[in-house]
Amino acid sequence: QVQLVESGGGSVQAGGSLRLSCAASGYTYSTDYMGWFRQAPGKEREGVALIYTRSDSTYYADSVKGRFTISQDKAKNTVYLQMNSLKPEDTAMYYCAARAGKLGSSWSRRWTDFGSWGQGTQVTVSS
């Protein structure tokens, strides 16, 4: 099992930036993918960014491409989500997730494929 702890959320005006962090502990050697998901009230949980930990390959939802960047620091067992040009529609609870094993191209809609989750960190973007 992998334990995940997010930090870095907060309130920002539209156009601003935030950086989220996700510190992992436990059986991190078994993790193949780390992802950031978000869920707004009344909406489905959706994936926004994904990193394949073995190669640093990254994947993004269309809604955040060009604005968000996922990265990892293996020495610190930490994954980051740099969020720039934030929009009010980015407002949500953001969760870090980990998965051991393969993932398909529909990963952003398959949050149940991830076995480990953090407690979430709130991001609020005002207009």
Side-chain angles (χ1 to χ4, degrees), residues 36-53:
W36 285 98
F37 288 74
R38 67 186 182 188
Q39 188 166 20
K43 293 192 174 182
E44 293 263 347
R45 187 170 299 191
E46 62 173 352
V48 296
L50 183 73
I51 187 165
Y52 180 53
T53 62

Side-chain angles (χ1 to χ4, degrees), residues 12-69:
V12 64
Q13 289 194 326
S17 298
L18 284 173
R19 188 175 83 154
L20 307 183
S21 298
C22 173
S25 60
Y27 293 100
T28 58
Y29 65 89
S30 65
T31 298
D32 293 300
Y33 292 93
M34 293 288 291
W36 285 98
F37 288 74
R38 67 186 182 188
Q39 188 166 20
K43 293 192 174 182
E44 293 263 347
R45 187 170 299 191
E46 62 173 352
V48 296
L50 183 73
I51 187 165
Y52 180 53
T53 62
R54 313 295 183 189
S55 70
D56 284 340
S57 295
T58 57
Y59 310 87
Y60 298 93
D62 288 343
S63 58
V64 306
K65 276 181 183 175
R67 300 188 298 123
F68 290 11
T69 303

Side-chain angles (χ1 to χ4, degrees), residues 16-123:
S17 298
L18 284 173
R19 188 175 83 154
L20 307 183
S21 298
C22 173
S25 60
Y27 293 100
T28 58
Y29 65 89
S30 65
T31 298
D32 293 300
Y33 292 93
M34 293 288 291
W36 285 98
F37 288 74
R38 67 186 182 188
Q39 188 166 20
K43 293 192 174 182
E44 293 263 347
R45 187 170 299 191
E46 62 173 352
V48 296
L50 183 73
I51 187 165
Y52 180 53
T53 62
R54 313 295 183 189
S55 70
D56 284 340
S57 295
T58 57
Y59 310 87
Y60 298 93
D62 288 343
S63 58
V64 306
K65 276 181 183 175
R67 300 188 298 123
F68 290 11
T69 303
I70 188 171
S71 62
Q72 64 174 344
D73 184 331
K74 290 185 177 181
K76 295 182 178 180
N77 282 331
T78 300
V79 172
Y80 303 97
L81 184 68
Q82 178 66 43
M83 305 185 294
N84 298 329
S85 302
L86 282 161
K87 304 175 181 180
E89 51 263 45
D90 294 318
T91 295
M93 184 71 78
Y94 282 70
Y95 298 92
C96 177
R99 172 174 170 82
K102 296 180 180 180
L103 270 179
S105 58
S106 60
W107 62 271
S108 64
R109 299 187 299 274
R110 298 179 63 87
W111 64 270
T112 55
D113 285 350
F114 289 74
S116 298
W117 290 85
Q119 81 288 353
T121 186
Q122 178 68 36
V123 171

